[in-house]
């Protein structure tokens, strides 16, 4: 009986974790991923200024075993058209540059800390990022629904297995 109770707790906790992660990914997608990617790309395409920049540092997104493409968060230093020196992190990860490379970046003159490689804001790159954002959104909905379905099915099954107890005799 104890094993069944542990199994039930595992199923219940697993389904609740899946619901929680699904909701978290959904909120993250709607609140950050989609607006960030669309906003940065839109701003850089509409009013972006192209300048030459030097890559000052690149840090791998994760360890080599989890990052076979070699994606890195990179920082660049450039001079704005007004003559101000800016060092900022690129808006998107990249696998094409390394420290001390000279690259062309596009920066937002209204927010000079927003910059990306010129090649990162092309149509296909933006489409790829937006497709990944939509996949994250769909995955979050599926995770939430699946977790909810498992949770409700388990509750229904456990209620069906419970045996009704006989009513106690009243009085004597």
């Amino acid at each position: 009986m104890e094993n069944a109770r542990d199994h039930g707790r595992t199923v219940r906790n697993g389904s609740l974790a899946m619901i929680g992660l699904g909701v978290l990914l959904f909120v993250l997608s709607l609140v950050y991923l989609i607006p960030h990617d669309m906003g940065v790309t839109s701003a850089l395409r509409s009013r972006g200024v192209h300048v030459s920049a030097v890559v000052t540092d690149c840090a791998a997104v994760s360890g080599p075993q989890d990052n076979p493409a070699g994606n890195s968060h990179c920082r660049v230093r450039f001079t704005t058209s007004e003559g101000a020196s800016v060092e900022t992190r690129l808006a998107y990860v990249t696998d094409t540059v390394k420290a001390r490379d000279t690259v062309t970046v596009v920066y937002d003159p209204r927010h000079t800390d927003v910059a990306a490689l010129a090649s990162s804001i092309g149509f296909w790159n933006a489409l790829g990022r937006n497709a990944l954002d939509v996949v994250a959104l769909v995955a979050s909905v599926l995770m939430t629904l699946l977790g909810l379905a498992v949770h409700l099915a388990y509750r229904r099954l456990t209620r069906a297995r419970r045996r009704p107890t006989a009513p106690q005799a009243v009085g004597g």
Side-chain angles (χ1 to χ4, degrees):
M1 187 68 178
E2 190 65 34
N3 193 19
R5 195 171 290 145
D6 288 343
H7 177 70
R9 188 175 303 124
T10 301
V11 170
R12 185 179 61 248
N13 290 345
S15 65
L16 292 175
M18 187 175 276
I19 292 168
L21 286 173
V23 169
L24 179 67
L25 185 59
F26 183 81
V27 170
L28 180 68
S29 296
L30 284 181
V31 173
Y32 179 74
L33 292 175
I34 293 171
H36 173 266
D37 288 346
M38 291 178 74
V40 168
T41 300
S42 175
L44 294 178
R45 280 190 186 157
S46 65
R47 62 179 177 264
V49 177
H50 289 69
V51 295
S52 181
V54 174
V55 179
T56 58
D57 181 48
C58 288
V61 172
S62 62
Q65 68 279 9
D66 298 326
N67 186 13
N71 288 329
S72 298
H73 289 288
C74 293
R75 298 188 62 78
V76 294
R77 183 179 303 121
F78 60 91
T79 303
T80 67
S81 55
E82 290 80 30
S85 179
V86 174
E87 183 169 342
T88 188
R89 190 171 101 170
L90 293 173
Y92 306 117
V93 297
T94 182
D95 64 346
T96 60
V97 300
K98 59 186 179 309
R100 293 187 294 282
D101 284 354
T102 300
V103 295
T104 299
V105 297
V106 182
Y107 75 93
D108 182 350
R110 293 185 190 168
H111 307 282
T112 56
D113 61 328
V114 176
L117 293 174
S119 61
S120 294
I121 62 170
F123 174 77
W124 293 110
N125 288 356
L127 182 65
R129 274 191 301 279
N130 290 339
L132 289 175
D133 293 344
V134 169
V135 166
L137 191 62
V138 169
S140 71
V141 170
L142 291 176
M143 283 176 64
T144 303
L145 292 176
L146 182 61
L148 188 59
V150 168
H151 184 72
L152 293 175
Y154 185 76
R155 283 185 62 189
R156 180 169 284 157
L157 286 172
T158 56
R159 283 185 182 160
R161 287 184 191 165
R162 289 185 193 151
R163 296 183 183 172
T165 57
Q168 298 287 330
V170 180

